[in-house]
Amino acid sequence: MKYKRTILLVIYLGVILSLLACNSEEDATNDNNQEDQNGKNILTVAYDNKPPGLDPHITTATITKDFTSPIFETLVALDSELEPQPMLAEEWEISEDGKTYTFKLREGVKFHNGKEMTSEDVIASYDKWVEVSSLGKSNFADATFEAEDDYTVVMQLPERNTVTLIALSNTIQYLAIMPKEIVDNAGADGVTEYVGTGPYEVKEWRADQYLHLKKFEDYQPLSTPADGFAGKKEVLVDELHLEIVDDASTRVAGLISGQYDMATLLPYDDYDRLENDPNITVYTPDNGFAMMVFNKKHGFFSDVKARQAINYALDLEEVLLAAYSSEKFAAPSHALVPEIQTSFYREEGIDRYNQKDIEKAKELLDEIGYDGEEIVFLVSRAYEDHYNAAVSVQQQLKEVGINVKLDVYDWATLLTHREDETAWDMFATGFSYEPHPLNNIWLDSATQYPGWTNSPEIDSFIEQIRTAASPEEASDYFGELQDEFYNYLPLVKYGDTKNIHATRSNIKGYDYSLSHVFWNVSKE
């Protein structure tokens, strides 16, 4: 009897273990293949940070652009060569004097709420954008935008502006077209309903956790080939889940396990591990450049000699190595545009980049009477490269006798905190290269971007570039602007940088020509 009971116990345990194994396999399948959830094909992206909001008119945060570009569209869109192409405007005409732009809208385009887009929605969106966005204010404060009929809008400029189409198609703080009634109800913090004409519509938004989007069934794509933000946008998955996963190791582990289909801003130290995983595809796109911005409105750095002292003191190659681990992901560069942007790439200012002259720095500090006062440097560990660069800057400046305190915040809090001119002296950030260098909102006094550039000389060059009669003339003026940048020093550019993003190998059609593009992406 004891022998029989032992056999029955073994059989019973075997059944239990088999059931547990089946359940584990089923759980793993559900983790790795989210098509099984309610029969939907879901693309899940682990995102590095939370956006400060979902109104793209207001914020310059790149993450807001990434979260909202599937929802909203613009009149004009940039292709992968940074050339403006039709999107909600099917065509346009420019007057001979360059002051009048007439846009013909596509007919029959629907918003997510079922309403057809017409001129009144475009005008309302434009008026709000010019009022609240740095980009709109700096380019179109004195322009008018009026409806000629339901599908024609006319922009009248006071003078030629060579940046017009680039500004209207810019991907940061962009001119998202929204229904007039939603725009009219917007408060100081922007719209609270997120309704656009894009290929995805909002399913659920939890500000600290995720944005879940679903396919917009009535979306009407263009027929032209997909190219950057332009051309055909095809939705090949039922839902797009943008999950906020601020811990980098969790993003890496989730990508490797298959919990996430894609993950952004992965640690540089994990590059080799991911690159050697046959189930992972790694992308290292150009990111733009990393920098620290001076508060030029209040405090120590309102004196240009203080800014110049910092610029003399730093070894920027050391800063880049501390932040990016390898020259594969960062490179010294003085220019305000990438070298491939040949129409504006200039050598002016190279003699004042990465000078590493500690004695000159000390001399300037003595001239202005620096006595060891605390310098507050805002930084966020949401971007480890920002933080690691700031630690290197802090250590280097200590050797010169400058007392730097790092104030560390989450990214959304930093964006809010930097609006207070009395609360900081420097902050760490990064910028993508713009399709036109004048779209760098930290250059223009009119934008009032935190740091508060106020240089009549730079403003004069900006105006000359905008109204230049030829590309060659604009390039020459930009060379003079870049020279003045290194005199005035609104910020210190560390160098050009790359990011690490990755997908599972079964993700097809992913494009990073300009940014994360989630349409035309399939999950096999």
Side-chain angles (χ1 to χ4, degrees):
M1 290 293 293
K2 182 177 180 181
Y3 176 71
K4 288 183 178 179
R5 284 199 300 271
T6 301
I7 291 175
L8 287 173
L9 180 60
V10 169
I11 293 171
Y12 175 75
L13 288 172
V15 171
I16 294 297
L17 290 171
S18 296
L19 288 172
L20 288 172
C22 289
N23 285 337
S24 295
E25 289 174 6
E26 183 178 352
D27 289 343
T29 300
N30 285 338
D31 280 344
N32 292 313
N33 187 2
Q34 290 194 351
E35 297 90 335
D36 292 340
Q37 295 185 9
N38 302 317
K40 294 184 182 300
N41 189 4
I42 298 173
L43 184 70
T44 304
V45 184
Y47 230 95
D48 53 275
N49 213 335
K50 63 181 179 181
L54 294 186
D55 187 336
H57 290 174
I58 293 178
T59 177
T60 60
T62 300
I63 194 168
T64 293
K65 176 257 296 180
D66 289 344
F67 270 52
T68 60
S69 60
I71 304 169
F72 300 109
E73 294 180 309
T74 51
L75 289 176
V76 188
L78 293 175
D79 65 19
S80 59
E81 300 296 321
L82 303 180
E83 292 295 329
Q85 302 294 343
M87 183 49 67
L88 294 178
E90 64 182 10
E91 61 183 11
W92 56 84
E93 294 180 0
I94 306 173
S95 64
E96 190 173 339
D97 63 5
K99 296 181 181 181
T100 305
Y101 288 70
T102 303
F103 296 92
K104 180 66 176 176
L105 306 180
R106 292 164 57 197
E107 297 186 23
V109 173
K110 295 291 185 64
F111 286 110
H112 300 151
N113 61 7
K115 173 188 172 182
E116 183 186 10
M117 179 200 70
T118 65
S119 298
E120 69 170 9
D121 305 299
V122 173
I123 298 299
S125 299
Y126 169 85
D127 287 345
K128 173 178 173 293
W129 178 69
V130 170
E131 181 180 352
V132 302
S133 79
S134 302
L135 186 62
K137 288 175 186 175
S138 64
N139 282 288
F140 307 118
D142 298 321
T144 61
F145 210 43
E146 298 177 348
E148 189 172 280
D149 57 43
D150 284 348
Y151 302 105
T152 308
V153 292
V154 179
M155 171 180 271
Q156 188 68 48
L157 304 170
E159 57 189 350
R160 180 191 300 273
N161 185 346
T162 59
V163 188
T164 296
L165 291 176
I166 293 291
L168 293 177
S169 56
N170 205 58
T171 58
I172 298 291
Q173 205 178 48
Y174 62 93
L175 174 51
I177 304 303
M178 310 172 183
K180 181 180 185 300
E181 60 274 17
I182 290 177
V183 172
D184 289 346
N185 289 325
D189 295 328
V191 296
T192 54
E193 295 179 74
Y194 310 109
V195 176
T197 61
Y200 287 95
E201 60 180 305
V202 175
K203 179 182 180 182
E204 188 175 10
W205 162 235
R206 294 193 179 181
D208 294 327
Q209 299 177 48
Y210 57 76
L211 173 65
H212 289 177
L213 304 173
K214 63 180 181 179
K215 178 179 181 178
F216 177 37
E217 297 294 345
D218 290 331
Y219 181 68
Q220 298 176 16
L222 293 168
S223 58
T224 51
D227 186 10
F229 276 76
K232 186 176 183 179
K233 298 178 182 178
E234 190 173 3
V235 179
L236 301 176
V237 295
D238 298 309
E239 294 188 6
L240 173 60
H241 288 187
L242 304 180
E243 307 290 335
I244 298 167
V245 185
D246 55 12
D247 181 72
S249 60
T250 303
R251 295 197 299 278
V252 171
L255 181 70
I256 291 172
S257 71
Q259 180 183 0
Y260 306 127
D261 300 306
M262 305 169 65
T264 68
L265 275 190
L266 301 176
Y268 296 99
D269 291 342
D270 284 310
Y271 174 79
D272 290 337
R273 175 189 181 191
L274 295 169
E275 180 70 10
N276 292 324
D277 189 327
N279 298 309
I280 304 294
T281 302
V282 180
Y283 299 83
T284 56
D286 292 331
N287 178 48
F289 60 96
M291 62 192 191
M292 62 181 189
V293 179
F294 295 116
N295 181 347
K296 299 166 289 296
K297 191 174 184 179
H298 178 86
F300 183 60
F301 292 116
S302 59
D303 188 329
V304 67
K305 288 186 178 181
R307 306 197 293 272
Q308 291 170 347
I310 301 298
N311 193 47
Y312 272 112
L314 292 176
D315 181 339
L316 297 177
E317 291 169 290
E318 187 177 315
V319 173
L320 291 173
L321 185 61
Y324 301 98
S325 305
S326 168
E327 60 186 20
K328 286 191 296 187
F329 309 118
S333 172
H334 76 288
L336 301 183
V337 301
E339 199 163 350
I340 59 170
Q341 201 169 348
T342 55
S343 57
F344 285 107
Y345 183 83
R346 305 284 297 211
E347 292 295 317
E348 283 88 342
I350 195 169
D351 58 318
R352 281 154 287 164
Y353 172 78
N354 198 27
Q355 295 169 96
K356 296 180 282 189
D357 188 340
I358 290 178
E359 293 309 313
K360 181 63 176 177
K362 289 180 177 179
E363 180 184 318
L364 285 172
L365 291 173
D366 287 341
E367 282 184 32
I368 61 179
Y370 176 68
D371 59 1
E373 63 197 82
E374 186 175 80
I375 304 299
V376 177
F377 193 174
L378 303 185
V379 67
S380 174
R381 296 205 74 152
Y383 300 103
E384 279 297 309
D385 56 325
H386 293 186
Y387 178 78
N388 291 335
V391 170
S392 178
V393 168
Q394 181 189 43
Q395 292 171 345
Q396 290 189 46
L397 294 183
K398 184 178 180 181
E399 295 177 11
V400 189
I402 299 177
N403 175 25
V404 176
K405 175 193 175 190
L406 301 185
D407 273 7
V408 184
Y409 298 94
D410 66 80
W411 185 242
T413 303
L414 185 150
L415 293 179
T416 300
H417 202 58
R418 72 184 186 182
E419 299 291 336
D420 181 357
E421 66 190 65
T422 66
W424 58 277
D425 299 294
M426 304 185 292
F427 76 86
T429 190
F431 262 81
S432 301
Y433 277 123
E434 294 284 352
H436 194 290
L438 294 195
N439 287 358
N440 285 307
I441 58 176
W442 42 265
L443 264 180
D444 192 336
S445 303
T447 66
Q448 289 297 291
Y449 177 75
W452 301 286
T453 294
N454 185 16
S455 168
E457 292 80 11
I458 289 178
D459 290 343
S460 175
F461 290 128
I462 287 173
E463 189 61 25
Q464 289 171 309
I465 293 166
R466 281 186 181 140
T467 58
S470 69
E472 293 76 19
E473 184 178 285
S475 180
D476 288 341
Y477 284 133
F478 186 73
E480 295 183 63
L481 184 153
Q482 187 166 280
D483 183 72
E484 182 57 30
F485 167 89
Y486 276 97
N487 292 330
Y488 178 76
L489 283 173
L491 53 88
V492 169
K493 175 189 174 180
Y494 303 147
D496 292 344
T497 64
K498 293 179 180 290
N499 282 336
I500 299 177
H501 309 304
T503 71
R504 298 286 297 177
S505 57
N506 65 326
I507 302 303
K508 306 299 180 184
Y510 176 58
D511 173 32
Y512 199 102
S513 57
L514 296 177
S515 181
H516 299 290
V517 171
F518 298 117
W519 50 87
N520 304 329
V521 176
S522 63
K523 179 177 177 179
E524 296 181 355

PDB file of all heavy atoms in Angstrom, residues 130-158:
ATOM      1  N   VAL A 130       1.017  80.337 -32.793  1.00  0.00           N
ATOM      2  CA  VAL A 130       1.819  81.575 -32.815  1.00  0.00           C
ATOM      3  C   VAL A 130       1.805  82.245 -31.448  1.00  0.00           C
ATOM      4  O   VAL A 130       2.804  82.829 -31.021  1.00  0.00           O
ATOM      5  CB  VAL A 130       1.303  82.535 -33.909  1.00  0.00           C
ATOM      6  CG1 VAL A 130       1.940  83.902 -33.782  1.00  0.00           C
ATOM      7  CG2 VAL A 130       1.583  81.959 -35.291  1.00  0.00           C
ATOM      8  N   GLU A 131       0.698  82.126 -30.741  1.00  0.00           N
ATOM      9  CA  GLU A 131       0.592  82.770 -29.434  1.00  0.00           C
ATOM     10  C   GLU A 131       1.425  82.074 -28.365  1.00  0.00           C
ATOM     11  O   GLU A 131       2.047  82.723 -27.523  1.00  0.00           O
ATOM     12  CB  GLU A 131      -0.875  82.792 -28.991  1.00  0.00           C
ATOM     13  CG  GLU A 131      -1.096  83.467 -27.648  1.00  0.00           C
ATOM     14  CD  GLU A 131      -2.549  83.467 -27.222  1.00  0.00           C
ATOM     15  OE1 GLU A 131      -3.415  83.082 -28.036  1.00  0.00           O
ATOM     16  OE2 GLU A 131      -2.817  83.837 -26.075  1.00  0.00           O
ATOM     17  N   VAL A 132       1.484  80.736 -28.402  1.00  0.00           N
ATOM     18  CA  VAL A 132       2.097  80.008 -27.284  1.00  0.00           C
ATOM     19  C   VAL A 132       3.457  79.395 -27.602  1.00  0.00           C
ATOM     20  O   VAL A 132       4.198  79.035 -26.682  1.00  0.00           O
ATOM     21  CB  VAL A 132       1.160  78.889 -26.765  1.00  0.00           C
ATOM     22  CG1 VAL A 132      -0.178  79.469 -26.331  1.00  0.00           C
ATOM     23  CG2 VAL A 132       0.957  77.791 -27.813  1.00  0.00           C
ATOM     24  N   SER A 133       3.811  79.253 -28.864  1.00  0.00           N
ATOM     25  CA  SER A 133       5.057  78.563 -29.202  1.00  0.00           C
ATOM     26  C   SER A 133       6.192  79.542 -29.470  1.00  0.00           C
ATOM     27  O   SER A 133       5.993  80.588 -30.091  1.00  0.00           O
ATOM     28  CB  SER A 133       4.867  77.656 -30.423  1.00  0.00           C
ATOM     29  OG  SER A 133       4.885  78.403 -31.610  1.00  0.00           O
ATOM     30  N   SER A 134       7.377  79.179 -29.011  1.00  0.00           N
ATOM     31  CA  SER A 134       8.554  80.001 -29.285  1.00  0.00           C
ATOM     32  C   SER A 134       8.819  80.078 -30.779  1.00  0.00           C
ATOM     33  O   SER A 134       9.165  81.135 -31.315  1.00  0.00           O
ATOM     34  CB  SER A 134       9.769  79.408 -28.572  1.00  0.00           C
ATOM     35  OG  SER A 134       9.547  79.314 -27.190  1.00  0.00           O
ATOM     36  N   LEU A 135       8.660  78.946 -31.464  1.00  0.00           N
ATOM     37  CA  LEU A 135       8.928  78.886 -32.902  1.00  0.00           C
ATOM     38  C   LEU A 135       7.968  79.778 -33.676  1.00  0.00           C
ATOM     39  O   LEU A 135       8.362  80.510 -34.592  1.00  0.00           O
ATOM     40  CB  LEU A 135       8.800  77.436 -33.372  1.00  0.00           C
ATOM     41  CG  LEU A 135       9.177  77.134 -34.818  1.00  0.00           C
ATOM     42  CD1 LEU A 135      10.641  77.444 -35.073  1.00  0.00           C
ATOM     43  CD2 LEU A 135       8.873  75.678 -35.137  1.00  0.00           C
ATOM     44  N   GLY A 136       6.681  79.739 -33.314  1.00  0.00           N
ATOM     45  CA  GLY A 136       5.691  80.576 -33.992  1.00  0.00           C
ATOM     46  C   GLY A 136       5.924  82.053 -33.748  1.00  0.00           C
ATOM     47  O   GLY A 136       5.878  82.873 -34.674  1.00  0.00           O
ATOM     48  N   LYS A 137       6.213  82.401 -32.496  1.00  0.00           N
ATOM     49  CA  LYS A 137       6.428  83.808 -32.153  1.00  0.00           C
ATOM     50  C   LYS A 137       7.620  84.387 -32.912  1.00  0.00           C
ATOM     51  O   LYS A 137       7.557  85.511 -33.433  1.00  0.00           O
ATOM     52  CB  LYS A 137       6.681  83.948 -30.654  1.00  0.00           C
ATOM     53  CG  LYS A 137       5.475  83.724 -29.764  1.00  0.00           C
ATOM     54  CD  LYS A 137       5.914  83.780 -28.309  1.00  0.00           C
ATOM     55  CE  LYS A 137       4.765  83.425 -27.369  1.00  0.00           C
ATOM     56  NZ  LYS A 137       5.217  83.364 -25.965  1.00  0.00           N
ATOM     57  N   SER A 138       8.719  83.634 -32.946  1.00  0.00           N
ATOM     58  CA  SER A 138       9.944  84.182 -33.524  1.00  0.00           C
ATOM     59  C   SER A 138       9.849  84.356 -35.031  1.00  0.00           C
ATOM     60  O   SER A 138      10.513  85.221 -35.605  1.00  0.00           O
ATOM     61  CB  SER A 138      11.138  83.299 -33.176  1.00  0.00           C
ATOM     62  OG  SER A 138      11.002  82.011 -33.747  1.00  0.00           O
ATOM     63  N   ASN A 139       9.011  83.560 -35.695  1.00  0.00           N
ATOM     64  CA  ASN A 139       8.925  83.624 -37.150  1.00  0.00           C
ATOM     65  C   ASN A 139       7.709  84.369 -37.687  1.00  0.00           C
ATOM     66  O   ASN A 139       7.781  84.979 -38.754  1.00  0.00           O
ATOM     67  CB  ASN A 139       8.922  82.209 -37.737  1.00  0.00           C
ATOM     68  CG  ASN A 139      10.292  81.592 -37.779  1.00  0.00           C
ATOM     69  OD1 ASN A 139      11.144  81.973 -38.579  1.00  0.00           O
ATOM     70  ND2 ASN A 139      10.533  80.637 -36.884  1.00  0.00           N
ATOM     71  N   PHE A 140       6.588  84.329 -36.955  1.00  0.00           N
ATOM     72  CA  PHE A 140       5.333  84.799 -37.547  1.00  0.00           C
ATOM     73  C   PHE A 140       4.535  85.747 -36.659  1.00  0.00           C
ATOM     74  O   PHE A 140       3.325  85.883 -36.827  1.00  0.00           O
ATOM     75  CB  PHE A 140       4.456  83.588 -37.917  1.00  0.00           C
ATOM     76  CG  PHE A 140       5.154  82.577 -38.783  1.00  0.00           C
ATOM     77  CD1 PHE A 140       5.356  81.285 -38.340  1.00  0.00           C
ATOM     78  CD2 PHE A 140       5.632  82.927 -40.031  1.00  0.00           C
ATOM     79  CE1 PHE A 140       6.013  80.350 -39.131  1.00  0.00           C
ATOM     80  CE2 PHE A 140       6.283  82.011 -40.843  1.00  0.00           C
ATOM     81  CZ  PHE A 140       6.481  80.714 -40.382  1.00  0.00           C
ATOM     82  N   ALA A 141       5.203  86.415 -35.730  1.00  0.00           N
ATOM     83  CA  ALA A 141       4.487  87.311 -34.819  1.00  0.00           C
ATOM     84  C   ALA A 141       3.731  88.406 -35.571  1.00  0.00           C
ATOM     85  O   ALA A 141       2.651  88.835 -35.146  1.00  0.00           O
ATOM     86  CB  ALA A 141       5.458  87.929 -33.821  1.00  0.00           C
ATOM     87  N   ASP A 142       4.268  88.859 -36.711  1.00  0.00           N
ATOM     88  CA  ASP A 142       3.637  89.945 -37.464  1.00  0.00           C
ATOM     89  C   ASP A 142       2.983  89.472 -38.758  1.00  0.00           C
ATOM     90  O   ASP A 142       2.628  90.285 -39.618  1.00  0.00           O
ATOM     91  CB  ASP A 142       4.687  91.016 -37.789  1.00  0.00           C
ATOM     92  CG  ASP A 142       5.275  91.646 -36.540  1.00  0.00           C
ATOM     93  OD1 ASP A 142       4.516  91.880 -35.589  1.00  0.00           O
ATOM     94  OD2 ASP A 142       6.503  91.869 -36.512  1.00  0.00           O
ATOM     95  N   ALA A 143       2.829  88.157 -38.902  1.00  0.00           N
ATOM     96  CA  ALA A 143       2.180  87.609 -40.100  1.00  0.00           C
ATOM     97  C   ALA A 143       0.681  87.449 -39.859  1.00  0.00           C
ATOM     98  O   ALA A 143       0.220  87.406 -38.713  1.00  0.00           O
ATOM     99  CB  ALA A 143       2.801  86.263 -40.452  1.00  0.00           C
ATOM    100  N   THR A 144      -0.087  87.357 -40.933  1.00  0.00           N
ATOM    101  CA  THR A 144      -1.516  87.052 -40.830  1.00  0.00           C
ATOM    102  C   THR A 144      -1.785  85.736 -41.543  1.00  0.00           C
ATOM    103  O   THR A 144      -1.094  85.360 -42.501  1.00  0.00           O
ATOM    104  CB  THR A 144      -2.381  88.152 -41.457  1.00  0.00           C
ATOM    105  OG1 THR A 144      -2.069  88.269 -42.864  1.00  0.00           O
ATOM    106  CG2 THR A 144      -2.134  89.489 -40.777  1.00  0.00           C
ATOM    107  N   PHE A 145      -2.813  85.030 -41.078  1.00  0.00           N
ATOM    108  CA  PHE A 145      -3.183  83.734 -41.646  1.00  0.00           C
ATOM    109  C   PHE A 145      -4.701  83.730 -41.722  1.00  0.00           C
ATOM    110  O   PHE A 145      -5.376  83.737 -40.694  1.00  0.00           O
ATOM    111  CB  PHE A 145      -2.663  82.618 -40.725  1.00  0.00           C
ATOM    112  CG  PHE A 145      -2.308  81.343 -41.420  1.00  0.00           C
ATOM    113  CD1 PHE A 145      -1.618  81.343 -42.608  1.00  0.00           C
ATOM    114  CD2 PHE A 145      -2.655  80.117 -40.856  1.00  0.00           C
ATOM    115  CE1 PHE A 145      -1.269  80.150 -43.240  1.00  0.00           C
ATOM    116  CE2 PHE A 145      -2.312  78.928 -41.466  1.00  0.00           C
ATOM    117  CZ  PHE A 145      -1.619  78.948 -42.660  1.00  0.00           C
ATOM    118  N   GLU A 146      -5.245  83.761 -42.929  1.00  0.00           N
ATOM    119  CA  GLU A 146      -6.689  83.920 -43.093  1.00  0.00           C
ATOM    120  C   GLU A 146      -7.249  82.903 -44.075  1.00  0.00           C
ATOM    121  O   GLU A 146      -6.523  82.396 -44.948  1.00  0.00           O
ATOM    122  CB  GLU A 146      -7.008  85.344 -43.570  1.00  0.00           C
ATOM    123  CG  GLU A 146      -6.578  86.427 -42.575  1.00  0.00           C
ATOM    124  CD  GLU A 146      -6.837  87.829 -43.093  1.00  0.00           C
ATOM    125  OE1 GLU A 146      -7.140  87.964 -44.305  1.00  0.00           O
ATOM    126  OE2 GLU A 146      -6.734  88.775 -42.298  1.00  0.00           O
ATOM    127  N   ALA A 147      -8.541  82.632 -43.902  1.00  0.00           N
ATOM    128  CA  ALA A 147      -9.221  81.679 -44.784  1.00  0.00           C
ATOM    129  C   ALA A 147      -9.757  82.390 -46.018  1.00  0.00           C
ATOM    130  O   ALA A 147     -10.419  83.423 -45.912  1.00  0.00           O
ATOM    131  CB  ALA A 147     -10.359  81.003 -44.036  1.00  0.00           C
ATOM    132  N   GLU A 148      -9.452  81.836 -47.190  1.00  0.00           N
ATOM    133  CA  GLU A 148     -10.029  82.340 -48.436  1.00  0.00           C
ATOM    134  C   GLU A 148     -11.337  81.622 -48.742  1.00  0.00           C
ATOM    135  O   GLU A 148     -12.282  82.206 -49.250  1.00  0.00           O
ATOM    136  CB  GLU A 148      -9.031  82.141 -49.576  1.00  0.00           C
ATOM    137  CG  GLU A 148      -9.417  82.809 -50.876  1.00  0.00           C
ATOM    138  CD  GLU A 148      -8.285  82.729 -51.887  1.00  0.00           C
ATOM    139  OE1 GLU A 148      -7.347  83.544 -51.790  1.00  0.00           O
ATOM    140  OE2 GLU A 148      -8.362  81.842 -52.777  1.00  0.00           O
ATOM    141  N   ASP A 149     -11.374  80.327 -48.441  1.00  0.00           N
ATOM    142  CA  ASP A 149     -12.597  79.528 -48.492  1.00  0.00           C
ATOM    143  C   ASP A 149     -12.381  78.332 -47.574  1.00  0.00           C
ATOM    144  O   ASP A 149     -11.411  78.279 -46.827  1.00  0.00           O
ATOM    145  CB  ASP A 149     -12.945  79.097 -49.933  1.00  0.00           C
ATOM    146  CG  ASP A 149     -11.830  78.315 -50.611  1.00  0.00           C
ATOM    147  OD1 ASP A 149     -11.236  77.431 -49.954  1.00  0.00           O
ATOM    148  OD2 ASP A 149     -11.548  78.579 -51.793  1.00  0.00           O
ATOM    149  N   ASP A 150     -13.288  77.352 -47.601  1.00  0.00           N
ATOM    150  CA  ASP A 150     -13.205  76.229 -46.666  1.00  0.00           C
ATOM    151  C   ASP A 150     -11.927  75.406 -46.811  1.00  0.00           C
ATOM    152  O   ASP A 150     -11.527  74.725 -45.872  1.00  0.00           O
ATOM    153  CB  ASP A 150     -14.414  75.302 -46.837  1.00  0.00           C
ATOM    154  CG  ASP A 150     -15.672  75.872 -46.211  1.00  0.00           C
ATOM    155  OD1 ASP A 150     -15.550  76.864 -45.456  1.00  0.00           O
ATOM    156  OD2 ASP A 150     -16.763  75.333 -46.464  1.00  0.00           O
ATOM    157  N   TYR A 151     -11.310  75.465 -47.987  1.00  0.00           N
ATOM    158  CA  TYR A 151     -10.146  74.620 -48.224  1.00  0.00           C
ATOM    159  C   TYR A 151      -8.927  75.406 -48.724  1.00  0.00           C
ATOM    160  O   TYR A 151      -8.005  74.819 -49.272  1.00  0.00           O
ATOM    161  CB  TYR A 151     -10.504  73.515 -49.228  1.00  0.00           C
ATOM    162  CG  TYR A 151     -11.653  72.660 -48.774  1.00  0.00           C
ATOM    163  CD1 TYR A 151     -12.917  72.809 -49.350  1.00  0.00           C
ATOM    164  CD2 TYR A 151     -11.506  71.731 -47.752  1.00  0.00           C
ATOM    165  CE1 TYR A 151     -13.989  72.042 -48.923  1.00  0.00           C
ATOM    166  CE2 TYR A 151     -12.569  70.959 -47.317  1.00  0.00           C
ATOM    167  CZ  TYR A 151     -13.809  71.120 -47.902  1.00  0.00           C
ATOM    168  OH  TYR A 151     -14.874  70.358 -47.477  1.00  0.00           O
ATOM    169  N   THR A 152      -8.923  76.716 -48.476  1.00  0.00           N
ATOM    170  CA  THR A 152      -7.788  77.550 -48.882  1.00  0.00           C
ATOM    171  C   THR A 152      -7.454  78.526 -47.765  1.00  0.00           C
ATOM    172  O   THR A 152      -8.337  79.221 -47.261  1.00  0.00           O
ATOM    173  CB  THR A 152      -8.095  78.350 -50.157  1.00  0.00           C
ATOM    174  OG1 THR A 152      -8.580  77.461 -51.167  1.00  0.00           O
ATOM    175  CG2 THR A 152      -6.854  79.056 -50.661  1.00  0.00           C
ATOM    176  N   VAL A 153      -6.171  78.552 -47.358  1.00  0.00           N
ATOM    177  CA  VAL A 153      -5.720  79.514 -46.356  1.00  0.00           C
ATOM    178  C   VAL A 153      -4.541  80.290 -46.931  1.00  0.00           C
ATOM    179  O   VAL A 153      -3.740  79.758 -47.703  1.00  0.00           O
ATOM    180  CB  VAL A 153      -5.322  78.840 -45.027  1.00  0.00           C
ATOM    181  CG1 VAL A 153      -6.530  78.268 -44.327  1.00  0.00           C
ATOM    182  CG2 VAL A 153      -4.277  77.758 -45.249  1.00  0.00           C
ATOM    183  N   VAL A 154      -4.459  81.572 -46.548  1.00  0.00           N
ATOM    184  CA  VAL A 154      -3.437  82.463 -47.095  1.00  0.00           C
ATOM    185  C   VAL A 154      -2.634  83.070 -45.957  1.00  0.00           C
ATOM    186  O   VAL A 154      -3.191  83.649 -45.026  1.00  0.00           O
ATOM    187  CB  VAL A 154      -4.070  83.584 -47.939  1.00  0.00           C
ATOM    188  CG1 VAL A 154      -2.988  84.516 -48.482  1.00  0.00           C
ATOM    189  CG2 VAL A 154      -4.905  82.996 -49.073  1.00  0.00           C
ATOM    190  N   MET A 155      -1.315  82.902 -46.019  1.00  0.00           N
ATOM    191  CA  MET A 155      -0.401  83.517 -45.057  1.00  0.00           C
ATOM    192  C   MET A 155       0.236  84.736 -45.698  1.00  0.00           C
ATOM    193  O   MET A 155       0.788  84.649 -46.796  1.00  0.00           O
ATOM    194  CB  MET A 155       0.678  82.527 -44.634  1.00  0.00           C
ATOM    195  CG  MET A 155       1.796  83.145 -43.810  1.00  0.00           C
ATOM    196  SD  MET A 155       3.056  81.943 -43.330  1.00  0.00           S
ATOM    197  CE  MET A 155       2.360  81.363 -41.795  1.00  0.00           C
ATOM    198  N   GLN A 156       0.146  85.870 -45.012  1.00  0.00           N
ATOM    199  CA  GLN A 156       0.734  87.109 -45.491  1.00  0.00           C
ATOM    200  C   GLN A 156       1.842  87.528 -44.524  1.00  0.00           C
ATOM    201  O   GLN A 156       1.602  87.761 -43.340  1.00  0.00           O
ATOM    202  CB  GLN A 156      -0.332  88.210 -45.575  1.00  0.00           C
ATOM    203  CG  GLN A 156       0.149  89.483 -46.248  1.00  0.00           C
ATOM    204  CD  GLN A 156       0.426  89.280 -47.733  1.00  0.00           C
ATOM    205  OE1 GLN A 156      -0.395  88.719 -48.450  1.00  0.00           O
ATOM    206  NE2 GLN A 156       1.584  89.742 -48.185  1.00  0.00           N
ATOM    207  N   LEU A 157       3.068  87.612 -45.051  1.00  0.00           N
ATOM    208  CA  LEU A 157       4.218  87.990 -44.242  1.00  0.00           C
ATOM    209  C   LEU A 157       4.572  89.452 -44.466  1.00  0.00           C
ATOM    210  O   LEU A 157       4.386  89.974 -45.572  1.00  0.00           O
ATOM    211  CB  LEU A 157       5.432  87.132 -44.614  1.00  0.00           C
ATOM    212  CG  LEU A 157       5.264  85.615 -44.519  1.00  0.00           C
ATOM    213  CD1 LEU A 157       6.457  84.918 -45.149  1.00  0.00           C
ATOM    214  CD2 LEU A 157       5.107  85.192 -43.079  1.00  0.00           C
ATOM    215  N   PRO A 158       5.079  90.145 -43.450  1.00  0.00           N
ATOM    216  CA  PRO A 158       5.474  91.540 -43.642  1.00  0.00           C
ATOM    217  C   PRO A 158       6.696  91.676 -44.551  1.00  0.00           C
ATOM    218  O   PRO A 158       6.894  92.718 -45.174  1.00  0.00           O
ATOM    219  CB  PRO A 158       5.775  92.028 -42.221  1.00  0.00           C
ATOM    220  CG  PRO A 158       6.087  90.794 -41.449  1.00  0.00           C
ATOM    221  CD  PRO A 158       5.256  89.708 -42.059  1.00  0.00           C
TER     222      PRO A 158
END
